[in-house]
Amino acid sequence: MARIVEEQPYNGVRERVERLGLAPLLDELRNILQDFPLRVKEVRDANGGAAVRKLIDTRFERATGWTKKQTGDVDWTKCHTANGTRVCLGVEIQFSARSDLIVVDLIHLRKAITDGKIDAAVLVVPSDRLGVFLTDRGPKIADAKRHVREARADDLPLLLIALEHDGPGPALAKQAKRPPPS
């Protein structure tokens, strides 16, 4: 099964999650991310990150209550009421784009927090080990930490999560590249 191999908290996110009653949603997120087989061809750049993203999105779709947003917003959110107050967790999944697009995810998360749409943020990326086996220039946890630091996003109540595959398998399909304009 896929597994979380690292979590990097920023700006009191763990305390905020506990205080606001978001722990059940974070636990549910961890189950979504870990409770499925994830095998990849263990060769540099042999697997498509979009295929992993599709697997994760399917897991969210099967779970109840998670809302998916399209481009320009937080990927997945879920809210619940704790002690009469509605609280929300926002999740960005970054497996299939260039690592520098992590900054865009951080912008989405910051905007959702400042607009009052979410109370805590999570960014899920491949572990450094898994990232090697996905398409080149894709993100890894080391990239995410660097981008959080360089974008000065360490003031967000943010949890970085690194996901690891569970062993060798066939290559996961890569996205077809667009043909050059004629």
Side-chain angles (χ1 to χ4, degrees), residues 5-68:
V5 293
E6 185 176 351
E7 292 187 357
Q8 175 64 53
Y10 293 92
N11 198 26
V13 69
R14 290 184 201 258
E15 294 79 5
R16 179 181 286 230
V17 163
E18 283 299 319
R19 184 173 45 80
L20 295 177
L22 287 166
L25 295 185
L26 186 56
D27 289 341
E28 183 179 344
L29 172 62
R30 288 180 179 124
N31 288 333
I32 288 169
L33 296 173
Q34 296 186 100
D35 192 21
F36 70 100
L38 178 56
R39 298 192 177 279
V40 300
K41 185 172 185 178
E42 291 184 334
V43 172
R44 180 177 289 278
D45 304 330
N47 304 274
V52 178
R53 171 63 192 261
K54 187 174 180 179
L55 290 169
I56 294 170
D57 282 345
T58 298
R59 304 267 310 143
F60 274 102
E61 289 163 2
R62 290 183 183 155
T64 57
W66 289 92
T67 304
K68 183 176 183 175

Side-chain angles (χ1 to χ4, degrees), residues 76-167:
W76 292 97
T77 58
K78 186 168 183 177
C79 302
H80 78 124
T81 302
N83 300 324
T85 303
R86 186 170 178 261
V87 292
C88 303
L89 184 68
V91 181
E92 285 279 0
I93 310 292
Q94 189 56 264
F95 274 73
S96 57
R98 295 185 326 266
S99 66
D100 57 343
L101 290 178
I102 288 172
V103 173
V104 174
D105 292 330
L106 294 170
I107 290 168
H108 293 160
L109 292 167
R110 180 180 300 281
K111 183 170 179 4
I113 290 169
T114 58
D115 289 350
K117 294 179 180 176
I118 63 172
D119 301 287
V122 179
L123 175 58
V124 182
V125 295
S127 68
D128 289 338
R129 182 170 183 266
L130 173 58
V132 169
F133 304 133
L134 301 178
T135 48
D136 69 334
R137 296 181 300 189
K140 298 186 271 306
I141 188 71
D143 300 316
K145 289 176 183 177
R146 180 174 44 86
H147 285 300
V148 166
R149 185 176 57 254
E150 290 177 3
R152 296 186 175 141
D154 50 359
D155 64 337
L156 294 175
L158 171 69
L159 182 63
L160 291 181
I161 292 180
L163 194 64
E164 177 66 62
H165 65 294
D166 59 322

